[in-house]
Amino acid sequence: MPTTTPLLQIENLTTSFQTNDSAVQAVRGVSLHVNHAEILAIVGESGCGKSVTALSILRLIPIPPGRFESGEIKFNNQDLLNLSEADMQKVRGNDISMIFQEPMTSLNPIFTIGDQIGEAIIQHQNTTKGETRKQTLELLYKVSIASPEIRIDQYPHELSGGMKQRVMIAIAIACRPSLLIADEPTTALDVTIQAQILNLLSSLKQESEMSILLITHNLGIVAQFADRVTVMYSGKIVEEASVDSLFESPMHPYTRGLLNSLPKEDNKSKLESIPGSVPHPAYLPQGCAFHPRCKDAMPRCQKQPPLSNLKKESTHKVACWLYEECVKEVR
Ligand code: SF4
């Protein structure tokens, strides 16, 4: 029976890294949720905290220098930040898996792909050699690798980039996780292969009701594949909405800037870029972190950060002084 409790619920997560001088917050008070069988995209430029958020979920942040300053990460109602390392190890791969943007460096060059997928199966299930090989072949079929009987005994260097990413997906889904975190899964691939990989993820989600947390800087990918979207800037969530609502009525100036930088349908209009770049987390400007790049900035924006996750309505949230809802909250 479908449940309304989110599969993953992050509340007020702050993740920092100790440097020689101070603790630098890469993720600052992030709250988000992923529902069962949905694709939630986190978008933003490099350095906005997307990947640190993902690595925090799996507790793959090196501690020290990393530290979880505050927050909770509830997955199936257990707080991952309070689990022992042994229990967390069971969650990784069994319940939550991750695929990274660089399949070339994620696979071990000295083992066959069959060995590497098989290892993921054996780690979490007590299967015999024959059963492991059978399941490995099934997974290769599932991720649409042609001639799996041949490919299973090949080494990573014998596969194309797209095939390597399919192998990474096979490893990630080997134990049927309920949540797959895909961190820029297609960045290193050409456009045609990108679409194939994203279609594959989408159909795996349909088949198995798996949820996907898709991390990307590409709003075009979000429009095609995600159900909901969260926009991050300088370690904070600045806007959250369904994909339809975000594309129809983007509210935050940063989101509007990202959308304006997408190629237009007529392919003739000039692409607009957002001036400047994401500030280093150690040198955040006062007030709204986006104000030095924002053409709508007001004097107030330089002094006071807008509250996070303020509501326009229950499903479309924005944190920006342009909106009456944000102003009302602090009155
Ligand atoms: Fe721009 Fe001010 Fe909104 Fe920040 S709070 S995005 S500076 S208008």
Side-chain angles (χ1 to χ4, degrees), residues 212-223:
I212 299 178
L213 183 61
L214 176 67
I215 293 169
T216 179
H217 61 277
N218 186 333
L219 272 170
I221 286 176
V222 173

Side-chain angles (χ1 to χ4, degrees), residues 3-312:
T3 162
T4 51
T5 313
L7 177 66
L8 177 80
Q9 177 102 45
I10 300 179
E11 286 295 341
N12 196 31
L13 177 71
T14 295
T15 307
S16 64
F17 293 89
Q18 188 63 44
T19 65
N20 287 340
D21 305 324
S22 60
V24 171
Q25 293 179 336
V27 170
R28 305 185 293 140
V30 160
S31 298
L32 60 82
H33 69 276
V34 182
N35 292 317
H36 291 263
E38 82 165 349
I39 301 182
L40 173 75
I42 304 183
V43 281
E45 293 161 283
S46 296
C48 69
K50 312 178 296 266
S51 294
V52 177
T53 303
L55 293 171
S56 298
I57 295 169
L58 279 171
R59 284 193 15 211
L60 291 175
I61 299 286
I63 293 179
R67 188 164 86 89
F68 299 113
E69 281 188 22
S70 70
E72 56 180 34
I73 301 176
K74 283 209 163 158
F75 177 78
N76 275 337
N77 283 326
Q78 54 181 350
D79 187 358
L80 300 183
L81 295 184
N82 285 332
L83 289 188
S84 65
E85 185 46 40
D87 286 340
M88 195 61 217
Q89 195 63 42
K90 287 183 204 146
V91 170
R92 293 186 199 114
N94 263 339
D95 301 308
I96 309 177
S97 302
M98 186 158 181
I99 49 173
F100 298 90
Q101 62 177 273
E102 263 302 342
M104 290 62 171
T105 50
S106 302
L107 289 168
N108 191 327
I110 61 168
F111 291 103
T112 65
I113 59 157
D115 286 339
Q116 296 185 58
I117 299 172
E119 195 190 333
I121 296 168
I122 293 165
Q123 259 184 14
H124 300 275
Q125 298 171 42
N126 208 4
T127 46
T128 62
K129 212 171 160 192
E131 178 59 23
T132 307
R133 190 171 173 93
K134 186 170 160 261
Q135 285 194 29
T136 302
L137 280 170
E138 282 167 9
L139 281 164
L140 289 173
Y141 273 116
K142 202 166 193 173
V143 297
S144 307
I145 287 204
S147 313
E149 299 83 359
I150 296 168
R151 296 292 181 194
I152 191 171
D153 296 315
Q154 289 186 325
Y155 291 86
H157 75 269
E158 297 175 85
L159 274 60
S160 67
M163 270 196 263
K164 285 192 193 103
Q165 192 59 298
R166 286 172 198 273
V167 171
M168 291 310 301
I169 294 171
I171 292 172
I173 62 168
C175 294
R176 300 176 198 95
S178 37
L179 175 66
L180 176 69
I181 301 174
D183 188 359
E184 304 273 10
T186 58
T187 302
L189 305 172
D190 70 46
V191 180
T192 326
I193 309 296
Q194 272 187 14
Q196 289 174 7
I197 294 292
L198 289 161
N199 281 327
L200 170 65
L201 287 176
S202 204
S203 62
L204 290 172
K205 179 211 123 180
Q206 303 282 6
E207 271 169 38
S208 60
E209 303 233 309
M210 178 175 71
S211 304
I212 299 178
L213 183 61
L214 176 67
I215 293 169
T216 179
H217 61 277
N218 186 333
L219 272 170
I221 286 176
V222 173
Q224 268 183 287
F225 294 97
D227 300 305
R228 279 190 310 118
V229 56
T230 284
V231 183
M232 279 189 83
Y233 188 78
S234 281
K236 279 183 180 277
I237 291 177
V238 295
E239 188 160 2
E240 183 186 313
S242 69
V243 166
D244 289 347
S245 183
L246 190 98
F247 279 79
E248 267 164 35
S249 47
M251 296 175 75
H252 199 279
Y254 178 58
T255 312
R256 293 205 295 261
L258 290 177
L259 287 168
N260 287 340
S261 63
L262 285 177
K264 307 287 178 297
E265 268 174 25
D266 61 10
N267 259 338
K268 286 183 192 142
S269 315
K270 214 173 136 212
L271 297 186
E272 288 175 36
S273 61
I274 307 172
S277 54
V278 179
H280 188 281
Y283 306 103
L284 291 180
Q286 252 204 318
C288 170
F290 187 60
H291 87 253
R293 307 174 71 188
C294 180
K295 38 185 192 197
D296 300 307
M298 304 163 277
R300 165 179 222 167
C301 306
Q302 298 175 21
K303 296 185 197 120
Q304 215 178 348
L307 296 185
S308 294
N309 296 338
L310 297 173
K311 292 181 185 181
K312 177 198 173 207

